[in-house]
Amino acid sequence: EVQLVESGGGLVQAGGSLRLSCAASGFTFDDYAIVWFRQAPGKEREGISCISSSDGSKHYAESVKGRFTTSSDNAKNTVYLEMNSLKPEDTAVYSCAAGDFCTWYFYGMNYWGKGTLVTVSS
């Protein structure tokens, strides 16, 4: 069974940090790009980071650039999203997805996790 499972969400104070994990199973993890999306109530889904298996390159949305870092541990089939200097506007459900290449086009993703909630308090 193909699965992506996010973990690490929770409640954090503004200025704090969290590390989200995206654990993959049932497919060849390192053949895919892993994209993190987030969606807050009343807002559109936003692609925020991607790590490409082809060259290891990383890409970030302007809203998180300089604060968030994505990384991978292929031995564990896991991708991480390190979130620093968190702001209340970062509050959202964060989901990871696997696609053929890095893109913010969520319809192009092959596999999705169910998401993990991150709440940042002021």
Side-chain angles (χ1 to χ4, degrees), residues 2-113:
V2 174
Q3 284 190 319
L4 290 171
V5 180
E6 303 93 340
S7 62
L11 176 65
V12 65
Q13 295 276 74
S17 299
L18 283 175
R19 187 176 74 163
L20 305 183
S21 298
C22 173
S25 62
F27 67 100
T28 305
F29 179 80
D30 60 1
D31 287 343
Y32 290 85
I34 304 297
V35 185
W36 284 95
F37 295 88
R38 68 183 182 184
Q39 188 167 29
K43 293 186 176 180
E44 296 180 350
R45 193 189 309 268
E46 176 189 20
I48 57 170
S49 75
C50 182
I51 182 167
S52 174
S53 62
S54 62
D55 59 4
S57 63
K58 302 171 184 179
H59 311 271
Y60 301 96
E62 290 297 324
S63 58
V64 305
K65 191 174 295 182
R67 299 188 297 121
F68 292 10
T69 303
T70 190
S71 60
S72 64
D73 184 341
N74 288 344
K76 296 181 178 180
N77 277 348
T78 300
V79 165
Y80 303 98
L81 183 68
E82 183 75 32
M83 305 185 295
N84 301 306
S85 301
L86 284 162
K87 306 173 182 179
E89 53 263 44
D90 294 319
T91 296
V93 174
Y94 286 72
S95 302
C96 63
D100 292 335
F101 50 84
C102 282
T103 179
W104 304 138
Y105 181 56
F106 54 86
Y107 287 114
M109 299 295 104
N110 296 313
Y111 311 117
W112 284 88

